[in-house]
Amino acid sequence: MTGKICDIFRTKNDSVSFEVYPPKKGQKKQFEIIKKTINHLTDLQPDFISVTYGPGGTNKGKAVEISEYIENKHDIERHKGTIALAHLTAVGYTESDISDILDKLNSKGVQNILALRGDIPQDVSFPYGAWCDFEYAKDLISVIKRDGRFCIGAAAYPEGHQDCKDLKMSVEHLKVKVEAGADFFITQLFFDNTAYFRFLDMIESCGMNMPVIPGIMPVLKASQIRKIVSLSGATIPDELNEKIDLYKDNPKDMEKFGIDYSVKQIDELKRNGIKRFHLYTMNRWEQMNEIVKLSGLR
């Protein structure tokens, strides 16, 4: 077992981390592909790799398997010290379910959890059936905190959550998550650094000083980013919007611009004192390698 992320933050002033997701198909070949991706990402010496899963909890089992691989089964001599951050959504689970999941994660050597509420289906109102115990992420966080075995991350929303666009309320929600036991935050994707800086100022004015790591998502495919933005509610700056329209039928130019845009975004954050970065890879290790090296993160 390689340790807890909160311990890294206590001993290091900077960090680089990635997010991957399980392959859509459960075939062995697909799992071999994600293992290759992870091995290439670990060559960049990330402090941790987070593992998400699909909408509605699809691929949860594979996410646990991938988290275990990150912690235990890749080339230990080459990638010593890589830590897995397993996503855990509360939607669809009861509190007794969570206890079993925590035991399973702990048995696999996973000591870090990103605790999220998850998306509640449109036809379900809280409380209902399997959604009876966890209305908000804070409810899940408090259960994990009581367990005592895990470092707990949570989500932050620089432009507000889809269900609550009031930024002051979003900051209040962060305070509640900290009180419940959250150790650090990773932000939802954003493309305008001004939104992140404004959010940080609001957090600091409330006396909170825990890490709030910016989540950076490179725009590598026009159609893909349109879909993601429609789900997240992130604002697309005019410059980026124009290029997405310009390059939507030219994948190579879109990818090149997307890489350059991410590098510029990271550079501006660095110039303003930000030292921790989380990259949403979309399982694209070659492009992440270029971004990390061009931006001087590694």
Side-chain angles (χ1 to χ4, degrees):
M1 295 187 289
T2 50
K4 294 183 177 180
I5 293 169
C6 49
D7 293 333
I8 291 175
F9 292 162
R10 278 193 285 268
T11 57
K12 287 184 63 181
N13 291 324
D14 63 342
S15 64
V16 175
S17 53
F18 302 114
E19 178 178 293
V20 298
Y21 60 84
K24 292 181 180 180
K25 298 178 182 179
Q27 300 159 349
K28 182 176 177 58
K29 180 180 178 182
Q30 295 297 320
F31 191 64
E32 290 301 317
I33 291 172
I34 189 63
K35 284 164 62 176
K36 179 181 177 181
T37 297
I38 289 167
N39 287 341
H40 281 293
L41 290 174
T42 50
D43 280 337
L44 294 169
Q45 299 179 315
D47 294 279
F48 62 91
I49 298 176
S50 74
V51 186
T52 187
Y53 41 75
T58 55
N59 279 327
K60 283 182 179 179
K62 282 294 179 187
V64 173
E65 188 176 352
I66 292 168
S67 296
E68 180 185 14
Y69 176 75
I70 292 169
E71 285 282 353
N72 301 310
K73 292 186 177 179
H74 60 261
D75 187 339
I76 297 298
E77 292 306 311
R78 288 172 63 206
H79 310 307
K80 196 172 292 183
T82 306
I83 289 174
L85 172 64
H87 288 220
L88 180 58
T89 57
V91 166
Y93 288 131
T94 63
E95 190 168 332
S96 61
D97 294 329
I98 295 299
S99 178
D100 293 338
I101 292 169
L102 297 182
D103 285 341
K104 183 175 183 180
L105 288 170
N106 185 69
S107 72
K108 304 293 185 183
V110 177
Q111 301 180 67
N112 304 276
I113 293 174
L114 188 70
L116 309 164
R117 184 197 69 178
D119 298 323
I120 298 177
Q122 292 183 352
D123 58 345
V124 172
S125 297
F126 183 88
Y128 177 82
W131 288 268
C132 64
D133 289 339
F134 302 105
E135 186 171 8
Y136 302 109
K138 69 175 179 65
D139 303 320
L140 175 60
I141 291 168
S142 63
V143 169
I144 301 171
K145 184 66 175 180
R146 285 200 304 270
D147 178 276
R149 291 177 288 182
F150 300 90
C151 172
I152 306 169
Y157 301 90
E159 298 180 87
H161 190 277
Q162 282 285 69
D163 296 341
C164 177
K165 286 297 184 180
D166 185 324
L167 281 181
K168 288 184 178 179
M169 189 63 69
S170 290
V171 173
E172 287 299 317
H173 290 162
L174 254 64
K175 288 177 66 176
V176 172
K177 290 177 182 179
V178 171
E179 291 166 359
D183 296 299
F184 67 94
F185 293 92
I186 296 174
T187 76
Q188 187 180 61
L189 63 98
F190 59 90
F191 301 108
D192 183 353
N193 288 345
T194 303
Y196 175 72
F197 291 129
R198 180 176 63 242
F199 192 58
L200 280 190
D201 287 342
M202 294 175 69
I203 291 170
E204 291 172 3
S205 68
C206 291
M208 291 186 284
N209 59 3
M210 81 298 297
V212 182
I213 307 169
I216 306 298
M217 176 171 284
V219 181
L220 302 176
K221 289 184 178 180
S223 58
Q224 186 180 56
I225 207 65
R226 292 287 191 205
K227 180 179 180 181
I228 290 170
V229 166
S230 70
L231 295 172
S232 68
T235 301
I236 302 181
D238 290 341
E239 176 196 4
L240 179 55
N241 204 33
E242 290 170 4
K243 296 299 184 181
I244 291 174
D245 286 338
L246 179 63
Y247 297 137
K248 62 183 178 182
D249 297 319
N250 193 329
K252 288 186 177 179
D253 285 346
M254 182 73 260
E255 182 175 295
K256 183 181 184 305
F257 174 79
I259 289 171
D260 291 342
Y261 191 92
S262 290
V263 171
K264 289 178 183 178
Q265 191 177 3
I266 292 169
D267 284 346
E268 183 185 17
L269 291 166
K270 287 173 66 178
R271 288 196 304 272
N272 284 272
I274 304 304
K275 296 182 178 181
R276 303 191 191 281
F277 295 89
H278 187 72
L279 276 65
Y280 296 107
T281 72
M282 305 304 291
N283 292 359
R284 308 282 293 279
W285 66 267
E286 292 173 299
Q287 294 82 352
M288 294 307 115
N289 182 71
E290 191 168 354
I291 290 168
V292 166
K293 292 185 176 179
L294 286 173
S295 60
L297 292 179
R298 286 288 185 265

